């Protein structure tokens, strides 16, 4: 179970469990070209979100709330561990992920507060990486 593998200090899922490469393609764990704790933790958060939605749809309010708390905790942990406040972007400490991937995952999970200047700066950095650094790729 993924939850039992979370780092108890920072809430991040370790690299050794990575099966998902850049852009979240599934690979055999030994063949994974981009091992990343950011991808692993993103997957954990996303699964918690989906389970909360499913539990709510089936009338299981207690499980829905439990998974929603796990999802929100994962978002806070990802912000604390992966968001570089100086660069205003999500950074994979193992340098296995392109900035487009790491920032897209963080933005997709709505980790940054909508009223925060961090959100706008992160989006602008992502757009710059796509349009300038990688010539629209």
């Amino acid at each position: 179970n993924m939850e039992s593998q979370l780092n108890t200090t920072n809430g991040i899922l370790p690299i050794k469990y990575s099966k998902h490469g850049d852009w979240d393609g599934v690979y055999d764990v030994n063949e994974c070209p981009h091992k990343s704790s950011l991808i692993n933790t993103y997957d954990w958060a996303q699964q918690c979100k989906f389970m909360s939605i499913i539990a709510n749809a089936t009338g299981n309010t207690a499980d829905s709330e439990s998974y929603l708390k796990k999802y929100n905790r994962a978002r806070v942990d990802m912000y604390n561990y992966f968001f570089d406040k100086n660069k205003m972007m999500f950074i994979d400490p193992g340098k296995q992920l392109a900035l487009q991937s790491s920032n897209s995952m963080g933005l997709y999970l709505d980790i940054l507060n909508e009223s925060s200047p961090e959100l706008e700066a992160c989006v602008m950095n992502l757009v710059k990486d796509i349009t300038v650094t990688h010539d629209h790729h």
Side-chain angles (χ1 to χ4, degrees):
N1 121 1
M2 289 174 83
E3 186 172 11
S4 68
Q5 306 304 317
L6 292 171
N7 181 307
T8 56
T9 304
N10 60 26
I12 301 304
L13 199 59
I15 291 175
K16 70 180 185 174
Y17 299 100
S18 190
K19 293 183 185 179
H20 303 274
D22 196 8
W23 293 109
D24 214 26
V26 179
Y27 298 89
D28 179 272
V29 72
N30 295 320
E31 297 173 4
C32 181
H34 302 284
K35 294 181 187 297
S36 170
S37 56
L38 193 151
I39 291 174
N40 290 353
T41 310
Y42 166 85
D43 285 340
W44 163 248
Q46 193 62 13
Q47 287 179 32
C48 290
K49 180 180 180 180
F50 291 151
M51 290 303 294
S52 176
I53 292 167
I54 292 166
N56 187 56
T58 59
N60 192 333
T61 307
D63 278 356
S64 178
E65 290 174 4
S66 175
Y67 280 111
L68 186 59
K69 284 181 186 176
K70 292 173 187 180
Y71 168 69
N72 287 325
R73 179 78 249 161
R75 292 170 59 227
V76 169
D77 291 339
M78 287 183 71
Y79 173 81
N80 290 335
Y81 194 77
F82 297 115
F83 191 73
D84 185 317
K85 293 177 186 165
N86 294 320
K87 295 181 179 179
M88 299 299 264
M89 61 180 66
F90 291 90
I91 304 288
D92 175 29
K95 299 184 185 339
Q96 289 295 308
L97 276 183
L99 291 176
Q100 291 175 30
S101 297
S102 58
N103 284 299
S104 294
M105 289 178 185
L107 291 168
Y108 181 77
L109 293 176
D110 294 323
I111 291 173
L112 301 175
N113 186 319
E114 195 170 305
S115 63
S116 166
E118 292 174 330
L119 177 60
E120 183 177 348
C122 184
V123 170
M124 294 306 294
N125 284 327
L126 175 59
V127 170
K128 179 182 174 189
D129 189 62
I130 294 168
T131 59
V132 177
T133 307
H134 291 100
D135 192 24
H136 298 276
H137 176 77

